[in-house]
Amino acid sequence: GDRVADGLAGLHAFSRFINLPPVEKSKVDDLVRLEATQQIPFPINEVNWDFTRLPQEDPMDEIEVGIFATRTELVDGFLNDLHEPGIQPAIVTIAPLAIYNFIRANGEDEEGAAIILDIGAEHTDLVIVDGERFWIRNLRIAGNDITKALSERFKVPFAEAEKLKRSSSKSAQAKKIFGTMEPVLKDLVGEIHRSVGFFKSQAEDLNVKRMVLLGDGAKLKNLPKFLRQQLRYKVTRVQQLAEDRFVIDPDVDAAAAPG
């Protein structure tokens, strides 16, 4: 009987932020629909899409809108997979938007803009949060890329390389293992630099001061230190949920959670 919310991976979603001329509120929906048909790279009748309007300080300013879409066939396939075990989701969103909502709800939005990096096995979502403003991008570097590098370097099967990665901090070959990971992590740093540069070209007042890590890939022992050195940001992990904002069922095994 519980409500379930599910998120599609960011790499399956289209997102675009656009500026509209200042118009009456009643005309915004029609303008956004017109823009959506032009911006979304699929026929509008083949996607599930929605938009959000960002805060506007002055009614005479341009209206900033975020448009988000994913192909209907992907959503249908996702829902079919959930329906088999009897799950009927009340909400289907995309992971980057869920990350943004979580960060705001968990009290992580301190003063200054932050990069939220959610490193999964197959994809990494980057979300820059600056108050109520946000920008999102999917990065091509993820946890499996590190595992593949270890598999090739040590000539072991993928599953064994994954165990090696997870236990690297306790290994006698820790330095050699991290040396193998480093080129992949530098590629990730390059992707982050390019993303921040692109978003700064859209918002000149964007001033990123820190980074927050999420996801299973963020558990690498030396990762925060490496990113801190490479990017010169304060880097932290989300360690726990804010107790005054989230209620966790006592039967949930937090130690088994992947993130």
Side-chain angles (χ1 to χ4, degrees):
D2 292 332
R3 283 166 54 84
V4 175
D6 286 282
L8 285 164
L11 78 167
H12 296 314
F14 165 88
S15 63
R16 183 71 50 84
F17 290 85
I18 61 170
N19 290 321
L20 303 174
V23 296
E24 296 175 16
K25 186 176 180 180
S26 60
K27 296 181 179 180
V28 171
D29 284 14
D30 290 338
L31 265 180
V32 174
R33 173 168 282 277
L34 179 62
E35 285 289 337
T37 58
Q38 298 174 353
Q39 299 280 349
I40 297 172
F42 303 104
I44 199 70
N45 62 340
E46 294 181 8
V47 298
N48 284 31
W49 72 281
D50 206 342
F51 74 94
T52 186
R53 181 173 174 173
L54 275 66
Q56 185 181 11
E57 293 183 4
D58 188 329
M60 299 308 294
D61 287 345
E62 289 185 321
I63 301 169
E64 190 173 5
V65 170
I67 298 175
F68 310 96
T70 189
R71 298 183 70 178
T72 302
E73 64 179 352
L74 289 175
V75 177
D76 289 344
F78 185 63
L79 290 176
N80 286 337
D81 289 341
L82 293 174
H83 290 164
E84 282 189 18
I87 298 173
Q88 302 287 339
I91 299 170
V92 176
T93 185
I94 58 174
L97 293 180
I99 292 166
Y100 168 78
N101 289 329
F102 166 72
I103 289 297
R104 295 300 305 278
N106 203 50
E108 304 287 342
D109 56 335
E110 301 171 9
E111 185 178 349
I115 297 172
I116 316 302
L117 202 65
D118 183 17
I119 308 172
E122 298 181 354
H123 63 93
T124 296
D125 286 315
L126 179 147
V127 182
I128 296 181
V129 178
D130 186 12
E132 293 186 53
R133 299 190 304 170
F134 65 100
W135 299 266
I136 64 179
R137 190 177 183 194
N138 179 258
L139 306 185
R140 61 183 181 87
I141 308 296
N144 283 354
D145 296 290
I146 297 173
T147 307
K148 288 174 186 174
L150 292 172
S151 176
E152 292 171 4
R153 175 68 178 83
F154 291 93
K155 295 180 172 52
V156 295
F158 186 89
E160 189 173 336
E162 180 68 20
K163 291 179 182 177
L164 192 65
K165 179 180 74 175
R166 291 173 180 268
S167 62
S168 59
S169 62
K170 301 175 183 178
S171 172
Q173 302 185 77
K175 189 173 181 179
K176 185 177 179 181
I177 293 171
F178 193 80
T180 302
M181 296 180 188
E182 196 167 0
V184 180
L185 295 177
K186 284 187 174 179
D187 285 345
L188 178 62
V189 167
E191 292 276 330
I192 295 168
H193 272 305
R194 282 187 286 276
S195 299
V196 173
F198 175 72
F199 293 132
K200 278 188 175 181
S201 71
Q202 296 183 327
E204 293 181 0
D205 62 334
L206 179 63
N207 182 20
V208 176
K209 294 185 176 181
R210 59 198 180 87
M211 172 179 281
V212 179
L213 302 178
L214 296 170
D216 214 24
K219 291 181 177 179
L220 287 175
K221 183 176 177 61
N222 293 318
L223 183 60
K225 179 181 178 181
F226 178 81
L227 293 175
R228 195 179 302 119
Q229 292 172 340
Q230 295 288 318
L231 296 166
R232 303 299 178 186
Y233 298 137
K234 173 187 174 183
V235 181
T236 59
R237 289 192 187 100
V238 173
Q239 301 288 356
Q240 60 186 17
L241 298 179
E243 293 181 3
D244 60 333
R245 305 192 185 194
F246 292 93
V247 178
I248 306 300
D249 191 298
D251 291 334
V252 170
D253 182 0

